[in-house]
Amino acid sequence: MKLFSTYADKIRAAAEALRAGLLVAFPTETVYGLGADCFNPAALARVFEVKGRPRFDPLIVHIAEPDAVDRAADVSLLDSQGRRRLALLIRRFWPGPLTLILPKQDAVPDLASSGLPTIAVRLPAHPVARNLIRLSTGAVAAPSANPFGYLSPTCAEHVRDQLGDRVDYILDGGPCLVGVESTILDLCAGEPRILRPGGVSREELEALIGPVSVSAASGAEASGAPRAPGQLKSHYAPRTALSVHPRDEMIALPCETGEARLFFEAASRDIWLGTLACRSLVPESWTPVLSKRGNLAEAAARLFELLHFLDGLGASRIRAELVPNRGLGPAINDRLIRAAEKDG
Ligand code: TXA
Ligand code: MG
């Protein structure tokens, strides 16, 4: 395993490695991906192996130009309304944190889609990702670069700590600016449907293409319901036990030594510290806030970084405050609820 920074020659070397069937972890604006050439079944198989990921959990194909969507998907199989929505979505949200579920192109190995007739496609906004994809075969299959079921990596060190020598190359592109994974939108099943809330909000999508439903499988909506492939309960879980609490509950919880807290904003943390006189009992670093002023984009960008940090403290439990359910809020709550569900 070699740890590279983001110079052009290093990106070129990593692209060569992809062409040769090796695995390259690379930065995107959401989280780091574990990339393999989309057309190389042996490389795809290694992605599943390295992540410890079940083969029924399909991958996202990353492209560098909107036109390359045809390499992964057969958009002629969409109806006219589907094609119209696709064109609007591509123009408005690509490059960016939106993954589209489309009819699969035959040339893409079944392993990429876990045998489904559909394929997930995304055009990331990070320049390192786009250059890497451009210099490789132009279609890179990549799940998040974490062991299956564990927290997604938002910096190169997370990848190195979690996957280490099991990855051939790690491209370091600094911290991820969005911080939660892309929104997954299914365009193949009549009314567009969000399978996973993420970096593009439902409100933004609806403003462009009209009504969008949210799959019952996305955690913030209905936990315990049957899940679409990959929308598994234990996703995004830290090793430390975690529970989630609405704000009112969070600020009324007594202090317990050994427990860490993750607050949404400074206001809720201050109330908790003040009313319960916890200040002397809990070290300040054990009670971080996602965003001082309650900005949801900032909260999303810091979510995984803080969960990684809290997971390393050796706390007996992490208690996390749920955030308001608007904008990027559902994506954040989805990750928190899934992290908590590991404990049943
Ligand atoms: O932001 C992101 O999307 C990141 C970066 C690296 O691009 N990638 C990511 O990949 O989050 P991953 O593998 O952790 O999550 C992909 C999700 C899985 O839950 C999978 O089930 C779903 O996409 N998915 C892929 N293909 C699908 C399909 N044909 N139908 C339904 N869901 C699909
Ligand atoms: Mg993932």
Side-chain angles (χ1 to χ4, degrees):
M1 187 268 292
K2 296 167 193 156
L3 180 62
F4 276 163
S5 46
T6 63
Y7 303 107
D9 58 331
K10 292 173 179 170
I11 297 177
R12 259 194 299 278
E16 275 309 310
L18 281 175
R19 285 175 178 277
L22 299 180
L23 303 190
V24 175
F26 62 95
T28 80
E29 75 280 25
T30 58
V31 301
Y32 275 68
L34 176 61
D37 176 10
C38 169
F39 302 105
N40 181 334
L44 296 176
R46 246 192 93 208
V47 169
F48 286 91
E49 191 186 305
V50 164
K51 270 189 70 106
R53 179 173 174 125
R55 297 231 172 161
F56 56 79
D57 196 7
L59 307 174
I60 296 177
V61 178
H62 294 65
I63 55 176
E65 313 298 337
D67 288 348
V69 71
D70 296 324
R71 309 232 16 232
D74 185 351
V75 299
S76 73
L77 294 176
L78 289 173
D79 60 20
S80 59
Q81 216 177 16
R83 285 201 296 274
R84 192 186 59 85
R85 289 183 185 123
L86 175 66
L88 289 170
L89 290 163
I90 287 180
R91 200 174 324 136
R92 169 82 173 75
F93 293 111
W94 279 6
L98 178 66
T99 294
L100 298 171
I101 304 294
L102 299 167
K104 187 174 90 66
Q105 188 65 263
D106 289 341
V108 176
D110 282 340
L111 204 46
S113 67
S114 300
L116 292 173
T118 55
I119 188 84
V121 189
R122 146 164 153 77
L123 202 171
H126 200 295
V128 172
R130 287 185 76 184
N131 283 331
L132 175 72
I133 297 162
R134 247 183 232 127
L135 293 168
S136 72
T137 61
V140 174
S144 49
N146 51 286
F148 179 71
Y150 192 60
L151 297 171
S152 294
T154 51
C155 61
E157 289 72 30
H158 291 162
V159 182
R160 195 187 48 200
D161 292 350
Q162 295 179 22
L163 296 178
D165 286 340
R166 282 174 286 165
V167 190
D168 301 304
Y169 287 78
I170 299 175
L171 282 172
D172 187 347
C176 301
L177 292 180
V178 176
V180 289
E181 295 89 340
S182 60
T183 299
I184 300 180
L185 184 70
D186 187 352
L187 288 183
C188 293
E191 185 174 87
R193 198 162 50 116
I194 293 176
L195 301 183
R196 176 179 73 184
V200 173
S201 71
R202 179 184 189 175
E203 294 93 319
E204 287 175 283
L205 293 171
E206 292 195 321
L208 183 72
I209 58 167
V212 168
S213 61
V214 179
S215 160
S218 76
E221 290 286 306
S223 46
R227 277 145 213 276
Q231 314 296 299
L232 300 170
K233 263 192 163 188
S234 67
H235 259 161
Y236 317 110
R239 294 182 218 287
T240 311
L242 183 142
S243 25
V244 292
H245 306 275
R247 181 187 172 111
D248 291 353
E249 207 175 285
M250 189 79 177
I251 58 188
L253 278 168
C255 316
E256 294 283 346
T257 40
E259 286 188 355
R261 319 257 155 170
L262 178 59
F263 287 93
F264 169 45
E265 53 184 347
S268 39
R269 176 170 173 263
D270 290 346
I271 295 170
W272 182 73
L273 283 174
T275 49
L276 296 167
C278 300
R279 217 171 279 273
S280 57
L281 294 174
V282 190
E284 192 170 332
S285 61
W286 281 48
T287 61
V289 296
L290 285 171
S291 165
K292 265 190 185 144
R293 293 202 179 82
N295 176 307
L296 287 162
E298 187 187 10
R302 299 191 66 207
L303 176 68
F304 285 124
E305 179 199 325
L306 284 175
L307 285 174
H308 275 281
F309 166 75
L310 291 170
D311 201 19
L313 290 175
S316 58
R317 173 168 293 276
I318 300 166
R319 296 194 183 275
E321 178 183 358
L322 291 167
V323 309
N325 243 325
R326 60 183 148 75
L328 292 185
I332 298 170
N333 288 336
D334 172 79
R335 306 310 186 267
L336 288 173
I337 289 168
R338 282 176 205 279
E341 277 177 342
K342 190 179 72 158
D343 294 335

